[in-house]
Amino acid sequence: MSSHRIQNPFARIDTSRPLSFTFDGQSFGGFAGDTLASALLAHGHRMLARSFKYGRPRGIVGAGAEEPNALVQLEAGPLTIPNVKATQVELYDGLSACRTTGWPSLAYDAKSIGGHFSRFMPAGFYYKTFKWPAALWPRVEPIIRHAAGYGSAPVDPDPEQYDHQHHHADVLVVGAGASGLLAALGAGRAGLHVILVDEQNEPGGWLLSAPHAVIGGQTASDWLKTTIGELKSLPNVRILARTCAFALHDMNMIQAVEQLHDHVAPSARPAGERRQRLHRIRAGRVVLASGAIERPLVYGNNDLPGILTAAALTTYLNRYAVAVGKRVLLLTSNDHVYQGACDLAKAGCSVVLADTRSTINPAWEKRARAAGVDVMAGYGIAEAHGGRAVKGAHLVRLHPERIAVAGNGPFIDCDALGSSGGLSPTVHLYCHDGGRPVWDEKRLAFVAPATGRAKAGIYVVGAASGEFGLQNALAQTCLTTAELLATFDKASAIATLNVRTDEPDLQPARRIFRLPDGKPEGHGKKAFVDYQNDVAASDIHLAVRENYRSIEHIKRYTALGFGTDQGKLSNVNGFAIAADALGKSIPEVGTTTYRPAYSPVTFGTLAGAHAADTFEPRRYTAMHSCHVARQAEFEPVGQWLRPWYFPTGGEDLHAAVRRECLAARRSVAMMDASTLGKIDIRGRDVREFLNRVYANAWTQLAPGKCRYGLMLDENGMVFDDGVTACIADDHFLMTTTTGGAARVLTWLEKWHQTEWPELDVYMTSVTDHWATAAVVGPKSRQVLAKLCTDIDLSPAAFKFMDWREATVAGVAARVFRISFSGELAFEVNVDASYGHHVWEALMAAGREFGITPYGTETMHVLRAEKGFIIAGQDTDGSMTPFDLDMAWAVSMKKPFSFIGKRSFARSDTAKSDRKQLVGLLTDDPQVILTEGAQMIETSNTAPPVPMFGHVTSSYFSPELGRSIALAVVRDGIHRRSEDGVKAGRDIMYAWAGGKAHKVRIVSAVFIDPQGARQNV
Amino acid sequence: MFVLHCPHCGEKREEEEFGYGGEAFIARPLAPETIDDVTWGEYLFMRKNPKGWHWEMWSHNTGCRKFFVVKRNTATHAIDGSWTLADARKLYDAESKAS
Amino acid sequence: MSEPVMQSPLHPFDLAAKARPLDASCGVWVSELPLLGYVSLRGQSSDQAFTEAVARIAGVALPTAPCTFAISGLAKILWISPDEWLIVCPRARPKGLLGEFSQALKSVKHQVADNSGGYTQIYLQGKNARDLLSHTSVYDLEALTPGRIVGTTFGKSSLYMHRHRDGYCLLLRRSFADYIWRYLVRAAEPYGFGVAQIDAALIAGAAA
Amino acid sequence: MKKEYSFWSLFKQGLQHNEGWDPAWRSAEPKPSYDVVIVGAGGHGLATAYYLAKEHGVRNIAVIEKGYLGGGNTARNTTIVRSNYLWDESALLYEHALKLWEGLTADLNFNIMFSQRGVFNLGHTLQDMRDIERRVNANNLNGIDALVLDAAEVKRRIPLIDASKGTRYPILGASFQPRAGVARHDAVAWGFARGASKYGVDIIENCEVTGLDIAAGRIKGLQTSRGYVAASRVGCVAAGHSSVIAKMAGIRMPIESHPLQAFVSESLKPVLDTVVMSNAVHGYISQSDKGELVIGAGIDHYNSYSQRGSPHVIEHTAAAIIELFPMFSRVRMNRQWGGIVDTTPDACPIISKTKVKGLYFNCGWGTGGFKATPGSGNVFAHTIARDEPHPLNRAFALDRFHTGHLIDEHGAAGVAH
Ligand SMILES: Cc1cc2nc3c(=O)[nH]c(=O)nc-3n(C[C@H](O)[C@H](O)[C@H](O)COP(=O)(O)OP(=O)(O)OC[C@H]3O[C@@H](n4cnc5c(N)ncnc54)[C@H](O)[C@@H]3O)c2cc1C
Ligand SMILES: NC(=O)c1ccc[n+]([C@@H]2O[C@H](COP(=O)([O-])OP(=O)(O)OC[C@H]3O[C@@H](n4cnc5c(N)ncnc54)[C@H](O)[C@@H]3O)[C@@H](O)[C@H]2O)c1
Ligand SMILES: Cc1cc2nc3c(=O)[nH]c(=O)nc-3n(C[C@H](O)[C@H](O)[C@H](O)COP(=O)(O)O)c2cc1C
Ligand SMILES: [Zn+2]
């Protein structure tokens, strides 16, 4: 048996299952049911950490989520977890943990040197220093950064998995203490769909620390057994242990994280299981039964290892069979510690209980003395003594009314010290979506009123609502639950439950937070409010002195409540001390904002399954496997993956593209164009509709014909383009860009539904239905002819910009004679189920002509040679059709003022010297300009240099044997050489990465301006 | 995180099923050519953006793909109701007349 | 020239090879209902001419109640929106249907479009089928009673789902099939996951 | 308030139990009238008052704040400071601010912990890289430091980043601005408040402006929750609330207020010594001097004044961060929060006179105005003092929404920052 372990049959540890673990490399033993904290305390291991700013020795203070000091690094390597609270680590065999602070060692911490000068490092220290010389700060900052921080992030990818689960429940109960269990029972018996979550490894809450309490004639432990038993038997109730509700969002959407792995030895973790699961619970009603956390009192040196909250001392004793000390000094302002004091005394500890109240609850005093507790009324602690552990404390007699020292008191030596300043209700979730806690002067607490947010479906029961006595808590839970059930028109089956307990009535607590030591604030020993951030009472007074008077300023100036405990122990003390310093009441000071997370939650849990290859969708075409088989390199385009180029025999991008381009220009090549958006549009008014949403005119287009269209936003700027075919008089098929498909469909629907519902037109996406192969090149007709015999492919019968129904490779197809390359080309569209078949059939048919598959890169080169734009590359949301020199694609005569038209007339948009799309030719034909190079007028580049536009597209054209580029240039259209401009205006420089290349501004069409080739 | 009632699907659905469509009832000028740049600019860019009740559009992206109108309080996130475009229009006009 | 062969979007996963008869080893059994016929239909349910013509051709009245579907001998008609339906039928049907509709609806406001290449369905069964969906979709599955169909989220994509026999049919777009399959497999892992041998009656049922 | 901050003063005060420190700024009661009233004591508002007093000799100034000073977006931003914007107008404005940042600690005698650790904007697609080239080249020609890095170089400088080809959006490269970095957001507000206060500016907190008094097209004063205040010039710097204040003057703004969320991890030992932003995967991250990872999410698309957003936005951002840094999957979120950002159609601010004489607006900074704080205050002070825009903010007048002269920075603004 380790030194501090006692016999306690009620404890929740299993002494028949010993476990071994290491801390900082040292081996220890513990039992199943222990936490890392209880197991270390069982060995009398006190100091676990050094403080953030002053490097002061620190030990375990709490017994759960409130722990500010004992942050450890759990395990090592890929499975390591930084900053876990030792009080929340369930022990398993072989567990290994390390401290996160204390350098070079816990015993000797470099920061403690600073500690000696702590008076020169008050709150706001950094803001006042290292300002001069300017060069100083950059050198100091890295040192500060290395002194900061607790645990270390892993450096390897996370080997474990996470997921999300969505629930829709009638009632979610947060907290499975006495109150939560009872509320769940009420809702469960009423037949509602109930979820009960508790962040601890087993239900029970405080009752697990008070096993001797009596409820309706049963001991607490029996009451728990029966109650939990019944809940488990109800099919409509689900209990989730190790599940922390960390956030409450609008309309009662609660996020809760369930721990599935961390309490199990890595070797024993079931494969395929998740480490953590995010439960997203949409609850009709929420019952907050989240209890309360005892706050410590604030006095000199109150941060010594061995000083805990009284509640924690009680919990370690009753739940973990650990007597943290043999000689225990307790300090309280209220009744809550008395039961614990009795239990400690009964367990054989010598217990002195100093009560700051001069008149104390006689009933409790009787019980305490009977148990052998030495009770001292009207005493406080001036300061605690000790180095790496508490050795004792210097008591003072307190003035019965004023917060002042009335006289000297004894020095009590002790090896454990616990204090209680009262309970702070756990109101966090009540406040996450805008709720505010209310200061209750009688209970000396910020409480969440039981039905304060009933309208929103949020109910609060038990300690969370300020009902601190067990019986009151349970009685109030019954009432509140009945109110909740009434909103479901259900009667309560727990209304008449016997919840009588054996506690004496509560006597009011004393209103005291910072104990007096007879000295002005800041003169005595540092009295800590927020342990994790080394915030002392004097820092709060200093902040106020410097006019950081809003509680939010105090928080931000001192870092009060900024830590990984989010001020669970410190905030209320901080607010009260601030009120004192400000001469205001506590409600006037108010609280800081409670925000998620109640307890920290891993990024992995938040991401859930949206990681690795399911991070975001990858969309594939029906021909994808054909491209994979041909070793294509892929490029993400929107959500899609498209073949970028098809390297063969170790080719690089340029070699492959060169080969692919020449094939398209000289013989035949093929591209997968399936990703283009396709929208089937039908209705009597379809032409009128197209007239409104496109810049050009659609009234005349005959069935069997296609037309290119520009789509503008209302600001007059091009945002999408594509070819639209007339299927029948009232029926069109629109194509959009790959990335734009979804946006365009929503855009069209929005205009139709919200502005022009009277138009007779329907739109349906058929993007996924069609697989499209673009057969491109002089020999494309021959290839197609081999597979398509039921239509006349001759130039006369099947003209450029025509489309036909046909059978290709035995499959019904729509063949479009359109071209994005300027070559003779046919786009074969088939039911995607046949996409693979048709692609392979075309490849086979084309083999004799050396048919060459090509990807997006070659597609870009081919279209650039023709001066065809790519929306999103040659446009950036600031280009009108005129800027693109595409006036031919705008019909200003259309009666209806199409989308974007009016904007052309605005003074800036109407300017003739806007940035316009042109072609560029470099002096040196081998030089390929950088896409994104800036256009300037001189080769002199001493900034600031006036810029006139930029290069949008740039390639080496294998066909021309030279480089070509597209650019947008201010007044570009009037600078083009062809149009015989004033000498020199056509000469500019394209500047990128420090190099300026001389270029000539030319037409954007580099090949076949008459379009002869596509018409053959 | 909202639950919105889709008047077309007749069900309450989670926010993630919807897309936000911005301020409702911004009428497009009937004869854009006849109005000046300022008026056109107002239509294009100026928004009420009230702190309080807001008539706004949402589209049921994963469901019926219909646009509909929600009256929501931008300060409290309270929702007063949701309606089809046509029904909402009537309520909105009535409200505008009242105030 | 080789005979035309169809490929379902999940073809690359070669489910046939992985398929086995149902047993107790898995909580979730999945199979694809491949290569069915899908026809998108739009029109006004207030227009008698439209509803009657459709009823005549489809052999069952158009479901006009939101989020419901109707089954006839030859097809299943899914309500998508107040003016949109998706007809699921055997693969041979759409060609005929399209003709018949266009004929019958000549003078009626409507739209029909073959979407057969654009969709596939996944059938989910097993004791944890519903649990699985609670991981992938935000929808309240309690409300997904037999006879109802809803479009909702699936991971970062979306799909339509409805009950079928003692399982669920997931109707999804072709290009998302790869993502949805991977997502589903990942989500099912904790429950044990198997590819179920596909039974012809099931496909027929799904089609009608 | 005369006391300078220095090692020496710290030492002296330390010996006196730090009891001798003066208020950092003077809290004032509203006077009946002021020459200039600034509405909104955020970083921008306080900077405006500071420069009005310091550079334009205006004496009788009040800054009126409905809450606590610096409690708006200044209190809740992820503090990224950079000037590598695309268009000349914005690049020069942000660069003006960056130059002021570089001397701000000394100027204010307040260490605002400006840390020039560099900012990466990752490129994940070919188009990203084109845009990066375009932006970096423009920056260089404007005399702004910026460079294009390839994937290998990104990996070398950010060893933890996943630069493998297998990711959803493989990293192809990045733009990098060495002089960019982060600053301590609260210190900026406090430093400017202290500085302005030294020049006699009245800083009035917990005082809400509830109405504007306008007669004959001229501003006369303001109604506030603490009474009427006369003023011949009023500068509104209310960020998320700009539309609300504009409405008091019968003006509609091209602004929508959206929630923008952020979150921090628990405090960790240093793992990331720079700032990483990615539009494609949609997240950005840095590590503060206190050790927490500071992470910004995208905006919620609905309008809101609630300072909170929807959780799926945070979840998506966490996923994005893991996509970039798979090891952070096991790191824990400590706290999340939201602000109210004032977004404009072209992702550029409005620093402008209005149709009401003497009424000026500085708003529309949306997701990215912290970086502009000193520059914004500096040019706005000029605009108010001279009743005409500073050359650097002429282009940011309201009339651009009528002429069509938008300055589309969506590319450079991208994700919130
Ligand atoms: C989560 C988040 C992350 C961000 N990240 C970055 C980033 O990394 N880099 C960056 O450059 N920018 C960032 N921003 C944007 C940046 O925070 C803002 O653009 C900038 O802080 C605006 O400063 P401000 O002083 O104008 O506004 P604020 O600080 O919001 O000040 C406006 C003030 O006006 C007050 N006010 C409003 N109405 C009234 C009234 N009626 N009467 C009196 N006072 C009133 C408010 O209370 C507020 O204090 C971020 C914003 C958010 C929310
Ligand atoms: N003396 C003390 O320190 C102390 C502390 C708490 C309760 N009590 C007493 O115990 C009795 C019963 O109290 P109760 O049932 O109202 O509270 P409780 O403290 O017994 O139970 C609250 C439970 O809620 C859980 N919880 C809190 N926040 C949570 C979250 N966000 N997610 C998941 N679980 C969460 C806790 O783990 C705990 O089990 C009362 O008489 C009360 O006064 C005493
Ligand atoms: C850069 C930055 C870092 C922050 N770091 C922390 C932190 O370490 N701990 C913490 O509790 N809050 C941190 N916060 C969040 C603040 O506590 C607070 O939530 C935020 O300023 C918004 O204010 P509000 O929550 O009061 O509305 C940080 C905020 C910012 C802007
Ligand atoms: Zn719907």
Side-chain angles (χ1 to χ4, degrees), chain A residues 174-180 197-200 204-207 243-246 289-292 294 311 336 423 426 429 461-464 467-470 473 598:
Chain A
V174 176
S179 314
V197 301
D198 195 294
E199 68 175 333
Q200 299 190 46
W206 178 253
L207 288 191
T243 303
C244 174
F246 66 87
S290 45
E294 191 177 63
H336 300 300
L423 299 185
T426 304
L429 270 69
V461 298
E467 287 301 348
F468 295 143
L470 181 54
Y598 171 73

Side-chain angles (χ1 to χ4, degrees), chain A residues 623-689:
Chain A
M623 299 158 175
H624 186 71
S625 53
C626 308
H627 314 322
V628 173
R630 290 180 177 83
Q631 284 88 39
E633 289 287 330
F634 291 91
E635 170 195 10
V637 184
Q639 287 179 307
W640 295 87
L641 260 77
R642 300 191 66 179
W644 182 18
Y645 61 103
F646 290 82
T648 60
E651 282 175 321
D652 65 0
L653 172 71
H654 304 289
V657 167
R658 177 185 179 77
R659 178 178 45 77
E660 294 169 14
C661 286
L662 291 177
R665 294 265 178 239
R666 309 273 161 91
S667 103
V668 61
M670 185 156 73
M671 182 188 73
D672 181 351
S674 309
T675 59
L676 292 184
K678 303 170 208 70
I679 303 171
D680 186 284
I681 312 182
R682 190 187 287 204
R684 264 192 208 74
D685 301 322
V686 61
R687 290 175 186 274
E688 173 60 18
F689 185 73

Side-chain angles (χ1 to χ4, degrees), chain D residues 88-162:
Chain D
D88 297 353
E89 295 88 341
S90 24
L92 295 177
L93 178 59
Y94 287 107
E95 178 61 14
H96 176 58
L98 183 47
K99 291 219 170 70
L100 289 169
W101 278 110
E102 286 170 325
L104 202 55
T105 284
D107 184 28
L108 296 175
N109 177 240
F110 199 104
N111 187 352
I112 50 136
M113 301 186 164
F114 183 45
S115 169
Q116 294 179 287
R117 56 184 71 176
V119 170
F120 292 80
N121 296 80
L122 299 177
H124 300 263
T125 65
L126 297 171
Q127 189 54 41
D128 284 353
M129 293 313 293
R130 289 182 197 106
D131 295 338
I132 282 174
E133 274 288 350
R134 178 186 177 189
R135 185 162 42 81
V136 166
N137 290 321
N139 292 158
N140 293 161
L141 291 172
N142 274 322
I144 296 168
D145 64 318
L147 45 155
V148 181
L149 307 177
D150 64 17
E153 184 60 15
V154 169
K155 177 70 180 167
R156 200 182 63 69
R157 295 183 185 219
I158 314 170
L160 287 186
I161 207 161
D162 183 353

Side-chain angles (χ1 to χ4, degrees), chain A residues 339-353:
Chain A
Q339 185 60 57
C342 299
D343 298 345
L344 282 160
K346 292 195 192 115
C349 308
S350 76
V351 181
V352 177
L353 170 52

Side-chain angles (χ1 to χ4, degrees), chain C residues 107-129:
Chain C
S107 54
V108 178
K109 174 174 177 179
H110 81 289
Q111 174 180 44
V112 291
D114 184 3
N115 243 327
S116 303
Y119 290 100
T120 191
Q121 285 183 72
I122 292 173
Y123 185 68
L124 272 184
Q125 48 190 326
K127 58 178 189 298
N128 299 110

